[in-house]
Amino acid sequence: MELLACIFNLARNLDLSPGEHPSGRVASFSFVCRRFRKAALSAAHLWSTIALHANATYGMQFAALCLSRAGHAPLELWLDSFYRAAQVVPFIAPHEDRIRHIRLRVPPDAPPALVASTCSFQVPNLESLDIAPSRSGAATHAPLTLPPLFSAGCSEQITSLTLADCALPPGSYPAVAHLCLSGHIPGLYDLLGGCAESLRTLFLDKVACEDE
């Protein structure tokens, strides 16, 4: 069972199609046979990706199921629904201290106030942040400019940061060791200067900026 769970852990992130996410793939594995189901349910970390999608392919009920199966494992949150703050924030709040990784896909036309209200929960143990425009608007809009996100000071502990067509969200990022940038990144030089002492890995993919 342990070997099978290890294989599932490797496979759950490989070549994900649009709208798919790791815990959803693990659920698919669990439908194959009784042995696969037992292996999937025996490893709490396989269910640790919690997705709240605007398209509701994986709804709140499935997210709640993943939370229950994840036990006390650290969590990765995938969020691209910014019009349901009244549902999202209370759902996440009891598990805030378990969130280590956040993946945001923001609609370019989402009002900043809605983004801020949806991302108003606390993340005292956040380690990595991945932000990009949602797929539908990525190629047709200006780079994202976001309001302050999450709890005050959370940016200071982030060690891994990924941005695509997005300005750096307000905050200080002195602990970033791994930085991945693609597309149009306003304020690029200031971003690099702010994390120069801690930076260990830098990946650039067709980066453009307006800095002189």
Side-chain angles (χ1 to χ4, degrees):
M1 287 299 171
E2 291 184 7
L3 178 59
L4 195 53
C6 288
I7 294 172
F8 288 171
N9 190 45
L10 293 173
R12 69 188 181 121
N13 291 297
L14 293 177
D15 299 322
L16 294 170
S17 60
E20 189 179 16
H21 78 95
S23 294
R25 178 171 286 182
V26 173
S28 299
F29 295 159
S30 72
F31 295 146
V32 172
C33 64
R34 186 175 300 176
R35 185 183 181 193
F36 276 30
R37 181 172 180 80
K38 186 176 180 180
L41 295 177
S42 69
H45 65 279
L46 295 177
W47 303 91
S48 60
T49 301
I50 310 302
L52 300 175
H53 285 316
N55 60 17
T57 300
Y58 301 100
M60 300 288 280
Q61 289 183 331
F62 183 72
L65 176 65
C66 291
L67 277 172
S68 67
R69 291 181 174 178
H72 299 289
L75 300 176
E76 178 175 0
L77 177 65
W78 289 23
L79 178 61
D80 74 358
S81 179
F82 293 91
Y83 295 89
R84 297 189 298 166
Q87 291 178 284
V88 171
V89 176
F91 180 82
I92 295 172
H95 314 284
E96 292 170 332
D97 61 339
R98 295 169 54 197
I99 296 175
R100 300 293 188 273
H101 313 284
I102 294 181
R103 176 184 183 270
L104 296 180
R105 294 297 178 263
V106 183
D109 58 352
L114 281 178
V115 176
S117 63
T118 303
C119 297
S120 62
F121 48 90
Q122 308 294 304
V123 280
N125 299 308
L126 186 64
E127 297 173 0
S128 74
L129 181 61
D130 177 345
I131 306 176
S134 58
R135 185 178 298 271
S136 61
T140 58
H141 288 77
L144 294 172
T145 300
L146 300 178
L149 304 174
F150 317 120
S151 49
C154 76
S155 62
E156 297 179 2
Q157 63 198 24
I158 292 174
T159 58
S160 179
L161 180 64
T162 300
L163 298 175
D165 292 308
C166 179
L168 184 69
S172 174
Y173 297 81
V176 171
H178 308 286
L179 183 61
C180 180
L181 305 174
S182 61
H184 193 172
I185 310 294
L188 174 61
Y189 296 150
D190 290 338
L191 167 57
L192 294 176
C195 60
E197 293 186 3
S198 60
L199 194 61
R200 298 293 178 268
T201 304
L202 175 62
F203 179 79
L204 303 176
D205 181 19
K206 299 180 181 178
V207 171
C209 67
E210 297 175 350
D211 301 16
E212 297 183 357

